Amino acid sequence: MPVRYKTCLLIDDNYIDNFVTRKILESGNFAEDIVVHQSPTDAITALRNGSVKPDVIFLDIRMPEMTGFEFLVEFETIEMEEKEKVKIFMLSSSLDPTDMSNSLDNKYVAQFVHKPLTHQTLEDLCK
């Protein structure tokens, strides 16, 4: 299976979730490079300084330092090339319909995905 993206940014404060998601992404040849940040503010810094230039972002919603929605507000202010082409998948264990609705109302969010990420979900995202 060919690699689908050059760089994938995974933002989640939970180490175990990151480990599992990264393994699924790697085994699915999802991206050449998978960059993981447990801190959304560190991810914002990396995006601002250009040290990471993702094609796709998997973003958790519920994080203590900054929520996924707060991240999206900051993302809007970042100047980067082809930002409108970056696909953001909200990856969350939230069952709150408001989270799903708010996610899909954001112009950068391509889809709301329930944790844990599975091979089947990954295949569905790539269709």
Side-chain angles (χ1 to χ4, degrees):
M1 173 185 318
V3 175
R4 294 188 167 89
Y5 294 98
K6 181 164 177 35
T7 304
C8 175
L9 175 59
L10 174 58
I11 306 167
D12 193 325
D13 63 309
N14 186 298
Y15 175 82
I16 299 297
D17 286 345
N18 284 333
F19 179 81
V20 171
T21 301
R22 182 184 192 114
K23 289 297 181 192
I24 296 289
L25 293 170
E26 287 173 347
S27 66
N29 288 325
F30 189 75
E32 288 177 27
D33 189 27
I34 299 168
V35 178
V36 179
H37 281 282
Q38 281 186 249
S39 162
T41 55
D42 289 351
I44 291 289
T45 299
L47 290 166
R48 283 193 199 286
N49 69 26
S51 63
V52 64
K53 296 177 182 176
D55 305 294
V56 62
I57 297 172
F58 283 91
L59 176 63
D60 187 21
I61 292 177
R62 311 245 167 140
M63 297 178 282
E65 183 181 328
M66 171 190 286
T67 69
F69 297 116
E70 292 168 332
F71 174 90
L72 291 170
V73 170
E74 285 297 312
F75 184 78
E76 179 73 37
T77 69
I78 295 172
E79 291 185 31
M80 58 188 278
E81 289 180 30
E82 300 185 333
K83 180 168 68 173
E84 67 284 347
K85 292 184 179 179
V86 176
K87 283 187 176 182
I88 298 179
F89 297 108
M90 298 300 274
L91 182 61
S92 179
S93 57
S94 173
L95 298 175
D96 184 345
T98 305
D99 284 344
M100 185 179 295
S101 174
N102 288 342
S103 296
L104 299 177
D105 285 344
N106 186 285
K107 69 180 180 180
Y108 294 107
V109 176
Q111 193 166 338
F112 184 95
V113 180
H114 288 282
K115 284 183 185 178
L117 184 66
T118 64
H119 286 286
Q120 183 58 56
T121 303
L122 195 57
E123 284 299 314
D124 292 344
L125 293 177
C126 295
K127 288 181 181 174

